[in-house]
Amino acid sequence: MNDSVEEVVFSVDIKNALDILGGNVFSGPEASIRELISNAADGILRLPPEEQGNPEIRLVQDSAKGVLSIADTGLGMSREDAKRLLGRLFASDKLNRHDEIGRFGIGFYSCFSLCTEVEVLTKSLNDGNSGTRIRYAGGYKLQIDDCSLDTHGTTVNLHLKLEHRKLLDEQHLRSVIQKYCNFIRVPIYVGHSWNLVNSTDAPWYHENASDEALLQGLSKYYDISGLYSVVQLFEDFENGRIHGVLYVPQNAAQASIRLFSKRILVVENEQSLLDESLRSFIGGVFDVDDIPLIISRDAIVGDSTQAQKLRRLILSKTSSGIQAFAGKQRADFLRFMDRHGPALKQACIDNDELRITVRDGLLFQTSMRNGVTIPEYLANRNDNTVIFADDRTLGASLIPLYNQANIEVVYMTDPEDALLRKHWWHAGKRVIFKRLDVDPPSWSGHHQPFAGKPEPVVDASILTGLRMLFASEVDEQLKVEVRSLGADAPAAILAIPENDRKMLQIAEAIQSAEGKRRLQGMPEKFQQLAKLGIIDMMASLAEKTIILNHSNEIVRELTRMIQVQNDARPNPAFSGLLANFLYGQALLASGMQIASKKLSEIAENQTKLIASLLKELRTE
């Protein structure tokens, strides 16, 4: 052995160890090229500015020999540097430094599993030696030897295995560079061409970049177009800075998070920095100077303090960005709400900051306007009450009453709206949301609905008779009101306050679960309350009012029958069938989930009513 040759012995067979770990630690051979390019860029950026000259990183293929070379004009290494950094697994000279991109260590050694041999040729700017050659061909040893190099810098020669020689394809190499290393501030070339492969820059790396520049950058680098809105991130963060851009695409498929660290792509579709509801319609490109990465450097350490702070920062920017989008681009935001409204509302439910910032900008359809915020709606009222419809079918029947009374109704038909309504404040007061069927206005048209004749007034005795009828035949807790709602309105409406409605729905769900012996699938607190009978007791106390529409022929016939019955009580069974029929119609129109047993009762009552009518016809 030549006197200058030195062997460094490892405690493990690196190549075999990395072959075993490769499938679990590294995302693929392209990740190794990424690491070698980032190390090369690091070597150049560590040069004093006056020594950088015309820096470059060049990847050269020798297809005949199966060798890929990655060469840089950087600082290079002395023999002692090479021994210290390459002769010890996971060694790094980047401890406590925050201005370098890559590092020697697991990233460098990842290329060993691609090769039959790895050779490093390096010459230090600051060392008098002519150069150093490091060779690894498997096993436990590295060979370090002197060599003669003309200029400072480092070249890594990869003698690729047959299955990895796709890396010698020029187009494939270019795509790898443009995907992972496109924004590295050092020119990268492939082969002997002087055609620059990487872009070296992007608009989001410049403070106060214009929206137009950000839009053009996203279109140029990622073919992302048709954007509703963009927001730049340019913030001091921990020991460095975060550069980036958030965007809201019209095409939800383009909503992905690309995370970079020191201009190197870490992960193309990051899943932990934004909640799922936000990721469904928001994309972004983020570059974080200093964030902990897992061993293969292709994902962040999700529970790290820096990652948590980064999530909060991104959420804050997302909140302010959506708020600005809603305020400045009204027409676009309305189209966005039509497409992504439920997801945005769910995000507001999941995140307090987003809810507080964005909720007052959410747009809702109303019975009179196309896209209205809750503050805008309340500006036309003298109280903090919002009349809403959570069921379009019921709304179609009742909204004409509100329109005639010049009262606007807000459509809140998404499931998420129910949770949003729980804690909504405006001008320092709690907003009261009242479902449109809880207290509908009486008919107020300029024409009379009954051929020019005024509607009859229901006297107290008839109203008392109706209440007694519904108490005995339907539900003793049911309240009864009679109003003239108009001929096009439903025959009967079941008016239930919001909290009581929820209690009834919970009771129905528990009864259904008990009937199917699936109570264990309900939340634990509901199971306990059900076993104690508290749910049933609270449901029985729920306030329910049936509003009979005196504009409807069936209701008028029932009131006539009650008036006759008050005198002679003819055929009380038939009036009982009518009462159950009207209650069934009101229940079906209420939008509440109805248990199958109750549906069967409604159907049975309708059958009895029809049978009774047919019998009356045959008698006549």
Side-chain angles (χ1 to χ4, degrees), residues 252-522:
Q254 296 180 341
S256 66
I257 301 296
R258 291 175 172 86
L259 178 65
F260 290 73
S261 181
K262 301 182 178 73
R263 297 187 177 234
I264 295 291
L265 180 64
V266 174
V267 58
E268 194 168 22
N269 190 14
E270 217 289 325
Q271 300 288 308
S272 69
L273 293 177
L274 278 175
D275 290 345
E276 183 178 359
S277 53
L278 288 171
R279 293 201 310 273
S280 67
F281 61 85
I282 288 181
V285 181
F286 307 135
D287 194 326
V288 187
D289 284 347
D290 183 37
I291 191 168
L293 302 177
I294 64 173
I295 192 170
S296 60
R297 285 176 28 92
D298 56 6
I300 64 174
V301 179
D303 59 352
S304 65
T305 301
Q306 292 95 321
Q308 293 171 14
K309 290 183 178 179
L310 180 58
R311 288 190 195 98
R312 289 194 292 270
L313 174 61
I314 292 174
L315 178 61
S316 176
K317 286 293 184 179
T318 300
S319 300
S320 58
I322 294 176
Q323 183 185 40
F325 174 30
K328 297 177 181 178
Q329 299 168 247
R330 183 74 170 231
D332 283 342
F333 190 67
L334 183 58
R335 287 191 288 270
F336 166 78
M337 287 290 296
D338 286 341
R339 186 173 299 183
H340 300 297
L344 177 56
K345 291 171 184 176
Q346 185 60 53
C348 288
I349 292 166
D350 295 339
N351 299 280
D352 292 342
E353 179 177 354
L354 192 70
R355 181 171 63 254
I356 293 168
T357 305
V358 172
R359 186 170 56 183
D360 279 349
L362 296 178
L363 293 174
F364 295 91
Q365 301 292 333
T366 78
S367 58
M368 297 181 179
R369 290 183 282 177
N370 183 28
V372 176
T373 68
I374 295 301
E376 288 169 347
Y377 174 91
L378 292 172
N380 292 330
R381 293 183 61 86
N382 55 10
D383 59 15
N384 258 32
T385 300
V386 175
I387 307 299
F388 73 93
D390 59 5
D391 181 88
R392 291 265 178 179
T393 304
L394 184 60
S397 301
L398 294 182
I399 279 177
L401 300 178
Y402 283 90
N403 286 347
Q404 294 235 10
N406 199 30
I407 300 174
E408 192 171 17
V409 177
V410 179
Y411 285 108
M412 305 186 82
T413 55
D414 292 329
E416 296 80 7
D417 291 329
L419 290 174
L420 281 178
R421 289 194 296 267
K422 290 181 66 176
H423 305 289
W424 204 312
W425 290 75
H426 174 69
K429 297 180 180 179
R430 180 77 173 268
V431 178
I432 299 169
F433 289 90
K434 185 182 290 186
R435 200 169 183 263
L436 78 166
D437 57 345
V438 170
D439 187 23
S442 295
W443 177 265
S444 59
H446 298 293
H447 63 283
Q448 294 293 341
F450 306 121
K453 298 179 181 180
E455 296 183 42
V457 177
V458 179
D459 63 36
S461 63
I462 294 176
L463 187 57
T464 299
L466 287 170
R467 287 171 177 167
M468 291 175 61
L469 173 66
F470 278 89
S472 61
E473 297 291 337
V474 179
D475 184 347
E476 63 181 9
Q477 300 293 330
L478 188 63
K479 298 180 180 179
V480 180
E481 291 183 12
V482 179
R483 298 188 193 178
S484 296
L485 302 178
D488 294 330
I493 299 169
L494 194 61
I496 308 172
E498 187 77 359
N499 289 335
D500 291 335
R501 177 183 293 272
K502 291 176 183 176
M503 180 54 62
L504 289 170
Q505 288 176 329
I506 292 171
E508 289 281 3
I510 287 176
Q511 289 172 5
S512 176
E514 287 176 329
K516 297 176 181 178
R517 297 183 180 179
R518 296 176 182 172
L519 188 60
Q520 292 77 9
M522 300 290 289

Side-chain angles (χ1 to χ4, degrees), residues 19 79 133 136 158 163 170 208 250 292 309 379 408 410 441 446 548 609:
D19 283 342
R79 182 172 178 134
R133 176 177 181 266
Y136 178 77
L158 306 178
E163 62 266 31
E170 181 173 338
N208 299 321
Q250 294 181 19
K309 290 183 178 179
E408 192 171 17
V410 179
H446 298 293
L548 301 176
L609 180 61

Side-chain angles (χ1 to χ4, degrees), residues 17 20 109 331 441 450:
I20 294 170
Y109 289 107
F450 306 121

Side-chain angles (χ1 to χ4, degrees), residues 125-160:
L125 172 69
N126 303 318
D127 187 82
N129 291 343
S130 58
T132 302
R133 176 177 181 266
I134 303 98
R135 178 177 176 271
Y136 178 77
Y140 294 80
K141 297 178 182 179
L142 279 180
Q143 284 188 351
I144 301 178
D145 194 5
D146 293 335
C147 67
S148 179
L149 299 175
D150 295 331
T151 60
H152 59 81
T154 300
T155 299
V156 180
N157 296 318
L158 306 178
H159 297 255
L160 296 169

